[in-house]
Amino acid sequence: MMKPFWKWLLAAWMGATIGATFLFVPPEARGFEHPRAYRILFYHVPMAWVATLAFFVAMGYAIQYLRTRQPAADDQSAAAAELGLLFCTLATVTGAIWSRLEWGQYWHWDPRQTSMAVLLLIYGAYMGLRGAMADEEQRARLAAVYAVLAAATVPFLVFVIPRVFESLHPDPVINTQGHLKMDVRMMITLLMALAGFTGVYLWLHRLRVRLAQWERRGRERWLE
Amino acid sequence: MVMDLYVVLVINLIIWVALFGYLWRMDTRMGELRRALEDSGEGAREDG
């Protein structure tokens, strides 16, 4: 159980991270139309990272559900997919704003933008699938199968397609040549942001699972 | 340009409004369930 101490630590960590994105990192970065706005990186990249992590967590628990048929595993899988969808939406929105600044338009059908939009559709459909079925056991089984299939597309959409097609999107942090091309202060701040937003995700995930357990308890209680 | 830093602030705002909005929605739902369970006699065994 996460004690309040960890919540305060997380809040302090995120406060320090936000402060670092304005005060610690170099004031400007080369190679951008708007050299100060590169700070969006410290928010946009963690959103995409957490979304990818959450989709794989959803797959892991979906496999666990299919093996054990424990409703708790379904709760975990559903919570991860829902949060993955939230963070994927935020990655898309922050990316669109950055795109407007750097490329002049919110949407370019850039391979990375398009693959994130496809992920939004895939996991939006997952939420629709869950909402459309009343029978809990059937919903959990079908959603688990869908979550596994959906996560199988994630490596292609996130890692392969953006590297195969021509893209305006900057190289990933570790680029195709395997080189790190980033100032040390930027790298420290990016790692802080990645760790902090991962912590926020884990906290929200835990709360979402608890809510799902309460909902189940309520349904069982009122069906008696 | 200072304008660029405003954009970063706006992005911060969007992210935190979304995350706290999600948290608030969960908290509201949990409160409803807690009250309903208390009314039905089970009571809440855990803190939110």
PDB file of all heavy atoms in Angstrom, chain B residues 9-41:
ATOM      1  N   LEU B   9       3.998  26.207 -20.636  1.00  0.00           N
ATOM      2  CA  LEU B   9       3.104  26.311 -19.475  1.00  0.00           C
ATOM      3  C   LEU B   9       1.703  25.797 -19.811  1.00  0.00           C
ATOM      4  O   LEU B   9       1.069  25.107 -19.012  1.00  0.00           O
ATOM      5  CB  LEU B   9       3.024  27.763 -19.000  1.00  0.00           C
ATOM      6  CG  LEU B   9       4.169  28.266 -18.135  1.00  0.00           C
ATOM      7  CD1 LEU B   9       4.017  29.755 -17.876  1.00  0.00           C
ATOM      8  CD2 LEU B   9       4.234  27.515 -16.811  1.00  0.00           C
ATOM      9  N   VAL B  10       1.232  26.132 -21.013  1.00  0.00           N
ATOM     10  CA  VAL B  10      -0.106  25.673 -21.436  1.00  0.00           C
ATOM     11  C   VAL B  10      -0.136  24.148 -21.513  1.00  0.00           C
ATOM     12  O   VAL B  10      -1.088  23.502 -21.061  1.00  0.00           O
ATOM     13  CB  VAL B  10      -0.497  26.315 -22.794  1.00  0.00           C
ATOM     14  CG1 VAL B  10      -1.698  25.614 -23.408  1.00  0.00           C
ATOM     15  CG2 VAL B  10      -0.792  27.791 -22.619  1.00  0.00           C
ATOM     16  N   ILE B  11       0.935  23.574 -22.034  1.00  0.00           N
ATOM     17  CA  ILE B  11       1.015  22.106 -22.117  1.00  0.00           C
ATOM     18  C   ILE B  11       1.005  21.495 -20.719  1.00  0.00           C
ATOM     19  O   ILE B  11       0.318  20.495 -20.461  1.00  0.00           O
ATOM     20  CB  ILE B  11       2.257  21.704 -22.936  1.00  0.00           C
ATOM     21  CG1 ILE B  11       1.885  21.825 -24.418  1.00  0.00           C
ATOM     22  CG2 ILE B  11       2.752  20.311 -22.587  1.00  0.00           C
ATOM     23  CD1 ILE B  11       2.885  21.344 -25.382  1.00  0.00           C
ATOM     24  N   ASN B  12       1.753  22.118 -19.807  1.00  0.00           N
ATOM     25  CA  ASN B  12       1.731  21.680 -18.408  1.00  0.00           C
ATOM     26  C   ASN B  12       0.315  21.697 -17.866  1.00  0.00           C
ATOM     27  O   ASN B  12      -0.136  20.759 -17.210  1.00  0.00           O
ATOM     28  CB  ASN B  12       2.574  22.659 -17.588  1.00  0.00           C
ATOM     29  CG  ASN B  12       3.727  21.985 -16.915  1.00  0.00           C
ATOM     30  OD1 ASN B  12       3.512  21.119 -16.097  1.00  0.00           O
ATOM     31  ND2 ASN B  12       4.931  22.362 -17.284  1.00  0.00           N
ATOM     32  N   LEU B  13      -0.375  22.798 -18.151  1.00  0.00           N
ATOM     33  CA  LEU B  13      -1.740  22.976 -17.656  1.00  0.00           C
ATOM     34  C   LEU B  13      -2.664  21.890 -18.219  1.00  0.00           C
ATOM     35  O   LEU B  13      -3.444  21.282 -17.477  1.00  0.00           O
ATOM     36  CB  LEU B  13      -2.235  24.366 -18.084  1.00  0.00           C
ATOM     37  CG  LEU B  13      -3.486  24.880 -17.402  1.00  0.00           C
ATOM     38  CD1 LEU B  13      -3.215  25.156 -15.934  1.00  0.00           C
ATOM     39  CD2 LEU B  13      -3.974  26.157 -18.078  1.00  0.00           C
ATOM     40  N   ILE B  14      -2.560  21.634 -19.510  1.00  0.00           N
ATOM     41  CA  ILE B  14      -3.406  20.610 -20.146  1.00  0.00           C
ATOM     42  C   ILE B  14      -3.189  19.256 -19.474  1.00  0.00           C
ATOM     43  O   ILE B  14      -4.140  18.552 -19.118  1.00  0.00           O
ATOM     44  CB  ILE B  14      -3.105  20.520 -21.661  1.00  0.00           C
ATOM     45  CG1 ILE B  14      -3.585  21.778 -22.385  1.00  0.00           C
ATOM     46  CG2 ILE B  14      -3.741  19.272 -22.274  1.00  0.00           C
ATOM     47  CD1 ILE B  14      -3.102  21.892 -23.816  1.00  0.00           C
ATOM     48  N   ILE B  15      -1.912  18.904 -19.277  1.00  0.00           N
ATOM     49  CA  ILE B  15      -1.591  17.595 -18.681  1.00  0.00           C
ATOM     50  C   ILE B  15      -2.149  17.486 -17.267  1.00  0.00           C
ATOM     51  O   ILE B  15      -2.829  16.508 -16.924  1.00  0.00           O
ATOM     52  CB  ILE B  15      -0.060  17.367 -18.685  1.00  0.00           C
ATOM     53  CG1 ILE B  15       0.428  17.121 -20.115  1.00  0.00           C
ATOM     54  CG2 ILE B  15       0.328  16.196 -17.781  1.00  0.00           C
ATOM     55  CD1 ILE B  15       1.930  17.103 -20.266  1.00  0.00           C
ATOM     56  N   TRP B  16      -1.904  18.510 -16.458  1.00  0.00           N
ATOM     57  CA  TRP B  16      -2.326  18.400 -15.054  1.00  0.00           C
ATOM     58  C   TRP B  16      -3.835  18.510 -14.897  1.00  0.00           C
ATOM     59  O   TRP B  16      -4.411  17.854 -14.022  1.00  0.00           O
ATOM     60  CB  TRP B  16      -1.580  19.423 -14.182  1.00  0.00           C
ATOM     61  CG  TRP B  16      -0.128  19.062 -14.112  1.00  0.00           C
ATOM     62  CD1 TRP B  16       0.907  19.741 -14.682  1.00  0.00           C
ATOM     63  CD2 TRP B  16       0.448  17.890 -13.516  1.00  0.00           C
ATOM     64  NE1 TRP B  16       2.092  19.064 -14.462  1.00  0.00           N
ATOM     65  CE2 TRP B  16       1.843  17.943 -13.759  1.00  0.00           C
ATOM     66  CE3 TRP B  16      -0.068  16.805 -12.818  1.00  0.00           C
ATOM     67  CZ2 TRP B  16       2.720  16.941 -13.311  1.00  0.00           C
ATOM     68  CZ3 TRP B  16       0.791  15.816 -12.370  1.00  0.00           C
ATOM     69  CH2 TRP B  16       2.167  15.891 -12.621  1.00  0.00           C
ATOM     70  N   VAL B  17      -4.482  19.305 -15.755  1.00  0.00           N
ATOM     71  CA  VAL B  17      -5.953  19.354 -15.705  1.00  0.00           C
ATOM     72  C   VAL B  17      -6.518  17.981 -16.065  1.00  0.00           C
ATOM     73  O   VAL B  17      -7.432  17.471 -15.406  1.00  0.00           O
ATOM     74  CB  VAL B  17      -6.500  20.460 -16.636  1.00  0.00           C
ATOM     75  CG1 VAL B  17      -7.992  20.284 -16.882  1.00  0.00           C
ATOM     76  CG2 VAL B  17      -6.242  21.838 -16.047  1.00  0.00           C
ATOM     77  N   ALA B  18      -5.948  17.347 -17.087  1.00  0.00           N
ATOM     78  CA  ALA B  18      -6.424  16.011 -17.494  1.00  0.00           C
ATOM     79  C   ALA B  18      -6.205  14.990 -16.382  1.00  0.00           C
ATOM     80  O   ALA B  18      -7.110  14.212 -16.047  1.00  0.00           O
ATOM     81  CB  ALA B  18      -5.709  15.575 -18.773  1.00  0.00           C
ATOM     82  N   LEU B  19      -5.012  14.997 -15.777  1.00  0.00           N
ATOM     83  CA  LEU B  19      -4.712  13.993 -14.745  1.00  0.00           C
ATOM     84  C   LEU B  19      -5.532  14.230 -13.468  1.00  0.00           C
ATOM     85  O   LEU B  19      -6.082  13.288 -12.892  1.00  0.00           O
ATOM     86  CB  LEU B  19      -3.214  13.981 -14.427  1.00  0.00           C
ATOM     87  CG  LEU B  19      -2.298  13.531 -15.578  1.00  0.00           C
ATOM     88  CD1 LEU B  19      -0.837  13.552 -15.134  1.00  0.00           C
ATOM     89  CD2 LEU B  19      -2.663  12.142 -16.075  1.00  0.00           C
ATOM     90  N   PHE B  20      -5.651  15.499 -13.072  1.00  0.00           N
ATOM     91  CA  PHE B  20      -6.449  15.770 -11.866  1.00  0.00           C
ATOM     92  C   PHE B  20      -7.942  15.579 -12.156  1.00  0.00           C
ATOM     93  O   PHE B  20      -8.698  15.187 -11.264  1.00  0.00           O
ATOM     94  CB  PHE B  20      -6.162  17.169 -11.321  1.00  0.00           C
ATOM     95  CG  PHE B  20      -4.939  17.200 -10.444  1.00  0.00           C
ATOM     96  CD1 PHE B  20      -3.748  17.726 -10.909  1.00  0.00           C
ATOM     97  CD2 PHE B  20      -4.964  16.659  -9.163  1.00  0.00           C
ATOM     98  CE1 PHE B  20      -2.599  17.727 -10.117  1.00  0.00           C
ATOM     99  CE2 PHE B  20      -3.833  16.653  -8.368  1.00  0.00           C
ATOM    100  CZ  PHE B  20      -2.642  17.196  -8.842  1.00  0.00           C
ATOM    101  N   GLY B  21      -8.363  15.853 -13.396  1.00  0.00           N
ATOM    102  CA  GLY B  21      -9.752  15.591 -13.781  1.00  0.00           C
ATOM    103  C   GLY B  21     -10.078  14.113 -13.677  1.00  0.00           C
ATOM    104  O   GLY B  21     -11.122  13.719 -13.151  1.00  0.00           O
ATOM    105  N   TYR B  22      -9.150  13.294 -14.117  1.00  0.00           N
ATOM    106  CA  TYR B  22      -9.315  11.833 -14.023  1.00  0.00           C
ATOM    107  C   TYR B  22      -9.375  11.407 -12.560  1.00  0.00           C
ATOM    108  O   TYR B  22     -10.223  10.608 -12.156  1.00  0.00           O
ATOM    109  CB  TYR B  22      -8.141  11.161 -14.745  1.00  0.00           C
ATOM    110  CG  TYR B  22      -8.227   9.669 -14.823  1.00  0.00           C
ATOM    111  CD1 TYR B  22      -9.024   9.045 -15.776  1.00  0.00           C
ATOM    112  CD2 TYR B  22      -7.513   8.865 -13.939  1.00  0.00           C
ATOM    113  CE1 TYR B  22      -9.105   7.653 -15.845  1.00  0.00           C
ATOM    114  CE2 TYR B  22      -7.586   7.487 -14.002  1.00  0.00           C
ATOM    115  CZ  TYR B  22      -8.377   6.894 -14.953  1.00  0.00           C
ATOM    116  OH  TYR B  22      -8.464   5.536 -15.018  1.00  0.00           O
ATOM    117  N   LEU B  23      -8.470  11.977 -11.771  1.00  0.00           N
ATOM    118  CA  LEU B  23      -8.429  11.671 -10.334  1.00  0.00           C
ATOM    119  C   LEU B  23      -9.733  12.092  -9.663  1.00  0.00           C
ATOM    120  O   LEU B  23     -10.297  11.356  -8.845  1.00  0.00           O
ATOM    121  CB  LEU B  23      -7.241  12.420  -9.713  1.00  0.00           C
ATOM    122  CG  LEU B  23      -6.838  12.079  -8.299  1.00  0.00           C
ATOM    123  CD1 LEU B  23      -6.380  10.639  -8.201  1.00  0.00           C
ATOM    124  CD2 LEU B  23      -5.711  13.000  -7.842  1.00  0.00           C
ATOM    125  N   TRP B  24     -10.209  13.276 -10.018  1.00  0.00           N
ATOM    126  CA  TRP B  24     -11.445  13.805  -9.429  1.00  0.00           C
ATOM    127  C   TRP B  24     -12.635  12.904  -9.784  1.00  0.00           C
ATOM    128  O   TRP B  24     -13.477  12.604  -8.945  1.00  0.00           O
ATOM    129  CB  TRP B  24     -11.676  15.229  -9.947  1.00  0.00           C
ATOM    130  CG  TRP B  24     -12.936  15.861  -9.436  1.00  0.00           C
ATOM    131  CD1 TRP B  24     -13.158  16.399  -8.205  1.00  0.00           C
ATOM    132  CD2 TRP B  24     -14.164  16.011 -10.149  1.00  0.00           C
ATOM    133  NE1 TRP B  24     -14.442  16.875  -8.106  1.00  0.00           N
ATOM    134  CE2 TRP B  24     -15.077  16.645  -9.287  1.00  0.00           C
ATOM    135  CE3 TRP B  24     -14.568  15.655 -11.440  1.00  0.00           C
ATOM    136  CZ2 TRP B  24     -16.384  16.944  -9.680  1.00  0.00           C
ATOM    137  CZ3 TRP B  24     -15.862  15.955 -11.832  1.00  0.00           C
ATOM    138  CH2 TRP B  24     -16.746  16.599 -10.950  1.00  0.00           C
ATOM    139  N   ARG B  25     -12.671  12.446 -11.038  1.00  0.00           N
ATOM    140  CA  ARG B  25     -13.752  11.563 -11.482  1.00  0.00           C
ATOM    141  C   ARG B  25     -13.734  10.258 -10.676  1.00  0.00           C
ATOM    142  O   ARG B  25     -14.771   9.769 -10.231  1.00  0.00           O
ATOM    143  CB  ARG B  25     -13.593  11.261 -12.975  1.00  0.00           C
ATOM    144  CG  ARG B  25     -14.804  10.649 -13.629  1.00  0.00           C
ATOM    145  CD  ARG B  25     -14.567  10.459 -15.110  1.00  0.00           C
ATOM    146  NE  ARG B  25     -13.549   9.464 -15.382  1.00  0.00           N
ATOM    147  CZ  ARG B  25     -13.793   8.200 -15.715  1.00  0.00           C
ATOM    148  NH1 ARG B  25     -15.028   7.778 -15.816  1.00  0.00           N
ATOM    149  NH2 ARG B  25     -12.827   7.349 -15.955  1.00  0.00           N
ATOM    150  N   MET B  26     -12.525   9.718 -10.475  1.00  0.00           N
ATOM    151  CA  MET B  26     -12.406   8.476  -9.686  1.00  0.00           C
ATOM    152  C   MET B  26     -12.834   8.721  -8.246  1.00  0.00           C
ATOM    153  O   MET B  26     -13.524   7.901  -7.643  1.00  0.00           O
ATOM    154  CB  MET B  26     -10.958   7.987  -9.698  1.00  0.00           C
ATOM    155  CG  MET B  26     -10.626   7.130 -10.879  1.00  0.00           C
ATOM    156  SD  MET B  26      -9.152   6.146 -10.592  1.00  0.00           S
ATOM    157  CE  MET B  26      -7.904   7.370 -10.441  1.00  0.00           C
ATOM    158  N   ASP B  27     -12.405   9.852  -7.694  1.00  0.00           N
ATOM    159  CA  ASP B  27     -12.714  10.167  -6.304  1.00  0.00           C
ATOM    160  C   ASP B  27     -14.221  10.324  -6.115  1.00  0.00           C
ATOM    161  O   ASP B  27     -14.789   9.837  -5.129  1.00  0.00           O
ATOM    162  CB  ASP B  27     -11.980  11.450  -5.914  1.00  0.00           C
ATOM    163  CG  ASP B  27     -12.069  11.704  -4.421  1.00  0.00           C
ATOM    164  OD1 ASP B  27     -11.643  10.829  -3.656  1.00  0.00           O
ATOM    165  OD2 ASP B  27     -12.563  12.773  -4.025  1.00  0.00           O
ATOM    166  N   THR B  28     -14.874  10.991  -7.086  1.00  0.00           N
ATOM    167  CA  THR B  28     -16.326  11.180  -7.009  1.00  0.00           C
ATOM    168  C   THR B  28     -17.045   9.832  -7.029  1.00  0.00           C
ATOM    169  O   THR B  28     -17.931   9.565  -6.222  1.00  0.00           O
ATOM    170  CB  THR B  28     -16.809  12.031  -8.213  1.00  0.00           C
ATOM    171  OG1 THR B  28     -16.044  13.223  -8.243  1.00  0.00           O
ATOM    172  CG2 THR B  28     -18.269  12.359  -8.114  1.00  0.00           C
ATOM    173  N   ARG B  29     -16.614   8.977  -7.949  1.00  0.00           N
ATOM    174  CA  ARG B  29     -17.235   7.646  -8.084  1.00  0.00           C
ATOM    175  C   ARG B  29     -17.010   6.817  -6.813  1.00  0.00           C
ATOM    176  O   ARG B  29     -17.907   6.121  -6.344  1.00  0.00           O
ATOM    177  CB  ARG B  29     -16.629   6.950  -9.310  1.00  0.00           C
ATOM    178  CG  ARG B  29     -17.165   5.579  -9.569  1.00  0.00           C
ATOM    179  CD  ARG B  29     -18.503   5.598 -10.270  1.00  0.00           C
ATOM    180  NE  ARG B  29     -19.010   4.245 -10.440  1.00  0.00           N
ATOM    181  CZ  ARG B  29     -20.152   3.813  -9.928  1.00  0.00           C
ATOM    182  NH1 ARG B  29     -20.917   4.621  -9.249  1.00  0.00           N
ATOM    183  NH2 ARG B  29     -20.555   2.573 -10.116  1.00  0.00           N
ATOM    184  N   MET B  30     -15.795   6.935  -6.257  1.00  0.00           N
ATOM    185  CA  MET B  30     -15.480   6.181  -5.045  1.00  0.00           C
ATOM    186  C   MET B  30     -16.344   6.674  -3.881  1.00  0.00           C
ATOM    187  O   MET B  30     -16.808   5.874  -3.069  1.00  0.00           O
ATOM    188  CB  MET B  30     -13.997   6.352  -4.712  1.00  0.00           C
ATOM    189  CG  MET B  30     -13.326   5.059  -4.318  1.00  0.00           C
ATOM    190  SD  MET B  30     -11.582   5.302  -4.036  1.00  0.00           S
ATOM    191  CE  MET B  30     -10.895   4.529  -5.458  1.00  0.00           C
ATOM    192  N   GLY B  31     -16.559   7.982  -3.819  1.00  0.00           N
ATOM    193  CA  GLY B  31     -17.412   8.546  -2.774  1.00  0.00           C
ATOM    194  C   GLY B  31     -18.833   8.039  -2.895  1.00  0.00           C
ATOM    195  O   GLY B  31     -19.460   7.681  -1.898  1.00  0.00           O
ATOM    196  N   GLU B  32     -19.337   7.983  -4.130  1.00  0.00           N
ATOM    197  CA  GLU B  32     -20.703   7.479  -4.353  1.00  0.00           C
ATOM    198  C   GLU B  32     -20.812   6.027  -3.893  1.00  0.00           C
ATOM    199  O   GLU B  32     -21.764   5.640  -3.217  1.00  0.00           O
ATOM    200  CB  GLU B  32     -21.045   7.552  -5.850  1.00  0.00           C
ATOM    201  CG  GLU B  32     -21.300   8.957  -6.370  1.00  0.00           C
ATOM    202  CD  GLU B  32     -21.374   8.997  -7.890  1.00  0.00           C
ATOM    203  OE1 GLU B  32     -21.260   7.935  -8.537  1.00  0.00           O
ATOM    204  OE2 GLU B  32     -21.518  10.102  -8.426  1.00  0.00           O
ATOM    205  N   LEU B  33     -19.799   5.238  -4.261  1.00  0.00           N
ATOM    206  CA  LEU B  33     -19.826   3.819  -3.898  1.00  0.00           C
ATOM    207  C   LEU B  33     -19.727   3.641  -2.379  1.00  0.00           C
ATOM    208  O   LEU B  33     -20.412   2.805  -1.801  1.00  0.00           O
ATOM    209  CB  LEU B  33     -18.662   3.090  -4.570  1.00  0.00           C
ATOM    210  CG  LEU B  33     -18.878   2.718  -6.031  1.00  0.00           C
ATOM    211  CD1 LEU B  33     -17.563   2.292  -6.666  1.00  0.00           C
ATOM    212  CD2 LEU B  33     -19.882   1.581  -6.162  1.00  0.00           C
ATOM    213  N   ARG B  34     -18.857   4.445  -1.770  1.00  0.00           N
ATOM    214  CA  ARG B  34     -18.689   4.356  -0.312  1.00  0.00           C
ATOM    215  C   ARG B  34     -20.021   4.633   0.388  1.00  0.00           C
ATOM    216  O   ARG B  34     -20.432   3.884   1.277  1.00  0.00           O
ATOM    217  CB  ARG B  34     -17.622   5.358   0.147  1.00  0.00           C
ATOM    218  CG  ARG B  34     -17.251   5.226   1.630  1.00  0.00           C
ATOM    219  CD  ARG B  34     -16.628   6.504   2.127  1.00  0.00           C
ATOM    220  NE  ARG B  34     -15.374   6.776   1.451  1.00  0.00           N
ATOM    221  CZ  ARG B  34     -14.168   6.490   1.989  1.00  0.00           C
ATOM    222  NH1 ARG B  34     -14.100   5.938   3.172  1.00  0.00           N
ATOM    223  NH2 ARG B  34     -13.076   6.783   1.345  1.00  0.00           N
ATOM    224  N   ARG B  35     -20.696   5.703  -0.066  1.00  0.00           N
ATOM    225  CA  ARG B  35     -21.988   6.050   0.556  1.00  0.00           C
ATOM    226  C   ARG B  35     -23.017   4.944   0.333  1.00  0.00           C
ATOM    227  O   ARG B  35     -23.742   4.557   1.242  1.00  0.00           O
ATOM    228  CB  ARG B  35     -22.498   7.380  -0.008  1.00  0.00           C
ATOM    229  CG  ARG B  35     -21.865   8.589   0.663  1.00  0.00           C
ATOM    230  CD  ARG B  35     -22.603   9.862   0.295  1.00  0.00           C
ATOM    231  NE  ARG B  35     -22.512  10.139  -1.139  1.00  0.00           N
ATOM    232  CZ  ARG B  35     -21.458  10.742  -1.706  1.00  0.00           C
ATOM    233  NH1 ARG B  35     -20.442  11.113  -0.966  1.00  0.00           N
ATOM    234  NH2 ARG B  35     -21.434  10.959  -3.005  1.00  0.00           N
ATOM    235  N   ALA B  36     -23.035   4.420  -0.917  1.00  0.00           N
ATOM    236  CA  ALA B  36     -24.010   3.374  -1.237  1.00  0.00           C
ATOM    237  C   ALA B  36     -23.752   2.122  -0.403  1.00  0.00           C
ATOM    238  O   ALA B  36     -24.679   1.490   0.096  1.00  0.00           O
ATOM    239  CB  ALA B  36     -23.947   3.054  -2.730  1.00  0.00           C
ATOM    240  N   LEU B  37     -22.464   1.771  -0.235  1.00  0.00           N
ATOM    241  CA  LEU B  37     -22.130   0.580   0.546  1.00  0.00           C
ATOM    242  C   LEU B  37     -22.451   0.796   2.024  1.00  0.00           C
ATOM    243  O   LEU B  37     -22.923  -0.110   2.702  1.00  0.00           O
ATOM    244  CB  LEU B  37     -20.653   0.223   0.371  1.00  0.00           C
ATOM    245  CG  LEU B  37     -20.283  -0.396  -0.988  1.00  0.00           C
ATOM    246  CD1 LEU B  37     -18.769  -0.441  -1.167  1.00  0.00           C
ATOM    247  CD2 LEU B  37     -20.841  -1.796  -1.131  1.00  0.00           C
ATOM    248  N   GLU B  38     -22.198   2.015   2.498  1.00  0.00           N
ATOM    249  CA  GLU B  38     -22.518   2.318   3.903  1.00  0.00           C
ATOM    250  C   GLU B  38     -24.027   2.241   4.133  1.00  0.00           C
ATOM    251  O   GLU B  38     -24.491   1.683   5.121  1.00  0.00           O
ATOM    252  CB  GLU B  38     -21.998   3.703   4.276  1.00  0.00           C
ATOM    253  CG  GLU B  38     -20.511   3.703   4.618  1.00  0.00           C
ATOM    254  CD  GLU B  38     -19.939   5.106   4.766  1.00  0.00           C
ATOM    255  OE1 GLU B  38     -20.666   6.087   4.525  1.00  0.00           O
ATOM    256  OE2 GLU B  38     -18.747   5.194   5.098  1.00  0.00           O
ATOM    257  N   ASP B  39     -24.790   2.794   3.146  1.00  0.00           N
ATOM    258  CA  ASP B  39     -26.253   2.766   3.265  1.00  0.00           C
ATOM    259  C   ASP B  39     -26.772   1.339   3.269  1.00  0.00           C
ATOM    260  O   ASP B  39     -27.759   1.015   3.914  1.00  0.00           O
ATOM    261  CB  ASP B  39     -26.890   3.543   2.104  1.00  0.00           C
ATOM    262  CG  ASP B  39     -26.649   5.044   2.259  1.00  0.00           C
ATOM    263  OD1 ASP B  39     -26.226   5.450   3.367  1.00  0.00           O
ATOM    264  OD2 ASP B  39     -26.852   5.774   1.276  1.00  0.00           O
ATOM    265  N   SER B  40     -26.064   0.461   2.483  1.00  0.00           N
ATOM    266  CA  SER B  40     -26.553  -0.920   2.410  1.00  0.00           C
ATOM    267  C   SER B  40     -26.010  -1.766   3.564  1.00  0.00           C
ATOM    268  O   SER B  40     -26.238  -2.955   3.626  1.00  0.00           O
ATOM    269  CB  SER B  40     -26.168  -1.545   1.069  1.00  0.00           C
ATOM    270  OG  SER B  40     -24.765  -1.705   1.019  1.00  0.00           O
ATOM    271  N   GLY B  41     -25.216  -1.140   4.456  1.00  0.00           N
ATOM    272  CA  GLY B  41     -24.837  -1.835   5.684  1.00  0.00           C
ATOM    273  C   GLY B  41     -23.455  -2.423   5.679  1.00  0.00           C
ATOM    274  O   GLY B  41     -22.944  -2.814   6.721  1.00  0.00           O
TER     275      GLY B  41
END
